[in-house]
Amino acid sequence: MRAALNRANFVGGLFSFRNIKSMSSSSTQNFVSRSVIKKVFAKLQKEGDGAVVRRGISRSEQKLLDPFLMLDEFSVSPPAGFPDHPHRGFETVTYVLEGGITHQDFKGHKGTIYAGDVQWMTAGRGIIHSEMPEEEINKGLQLWINLSSNKKMIEPNYQELSSSDIPKAEQDGVQVKVIAGESMGIQSPVYTRTPTMFLDFTLDPGAQFHQKVPESWNAFAYVLESGESGAVFGSSNASPVSAHNVVVFGQGNDGVSVWNKSSSKKLRFVLIAGEPLGEPVVQYGPFVMNTQAEIDMTIEDYHYGKNGFEMAKYWRSQ
């Protein structure tokens, strides 16, 4: 990423609105919410070189949450980080919550994203990159989104949005940042190869909201901040959900309802939804394909530096 992010920056890819008909509503009239079918507490674990993550989505949730492969809430301080590593077959979305992350790859793309900025990276046929902390405290989310079989071998691509370029709206004590998709009548400019919604909500104490989601899409929420009795999803009398929990919703109905039952603390969560691919998933670490034969070929390509990994033997991040 480029260090100066003062406008939307799209490198070698498409700029397009995705109309997913996800109009939002602040009224409960005629709105039928999806039910909560699973809650997963994101436990701390080590990742990269000395970094710590809370893994909210892992392989056990992939069938419920197709096309999503992984969600990490990361926390990293120098000298720890995520040094040179490869990817193939999917996209990564990095959303910085605090500090900054410096990225560089073997195609010469380099820059830093700071708090509130987003990098939407399509690894496609192959990328090798590093993601290293810029400040003393650096926190954020990284989401992995699968690509369909006919898009897994496309050329790598980046979409970058600074915080000031992310569309925002507010009504009735609810604020939303529209990273992908649509809410409160505003749309993100991000083009999603796998149709995706990524919304960052903040609810004042006592506020509620009802977000439409296409019926066939899979959806989940991840709670970032919440009061003791704050985050309530699906039904107003449901049990509250604490921070660092993934809330998985069933399919169907109009969308997702949420209430902040706290009397004093704001509720912050991301709502993420996407159109299922319905394809086999074979994953080997940072490689995600449809068959074991394709994984074997990917490992060979990476080892011998071919079919998208030509620079693998020679490139090292600075």
Side-chain angles (χ1 to χ4, degrees), residues 204-223:
D204 290 342
Q208 60 178 283
F209 196 72
H210 310 278
Q211 173 67 40
K212 285 198 172 182
V213 177
E215 285 189 12
S216 63
W217 288 22
N218 289 322
F220 71 95
Y222 183 73
V223 181

Side-chain angles (χ1 to χ4, degrees), residues 24 30 35 53 60 72 84 114 122 136-138 158-159 164 177-178 182 217 219 237 250 252 262 283 299 310:
S24 52
N30 300 324
S35 59
V53 303
S60 60
D72 280 353
D84 303 0
Y114 295 95
T122 304
E136 184 60 32
I137 299 175
N138 307 273
Y158 293 89
Q159 300 176 78
S164 61
K177 300 177 183 179
V178 184
E182 179 184 354
W217 288 22
N237 59 2
S262 173
Q283 181 174 352
I299 294 170
E310 282 76 9

Side-chain angles (χ1 to χ4, degrees), residues 137-154:
I137 299 175
N138 307 273
K139 298 180 179 181
L141 299 174
Q142 187 167 97
L143 175 71
W144 289 14
I145 307 172
N146 202 7
L147 288 170
S148 60
S149 58
N150 63 346
K151 296 177 182 177
K152 285 186 176 295
M153 295 298 285
I154 63 176

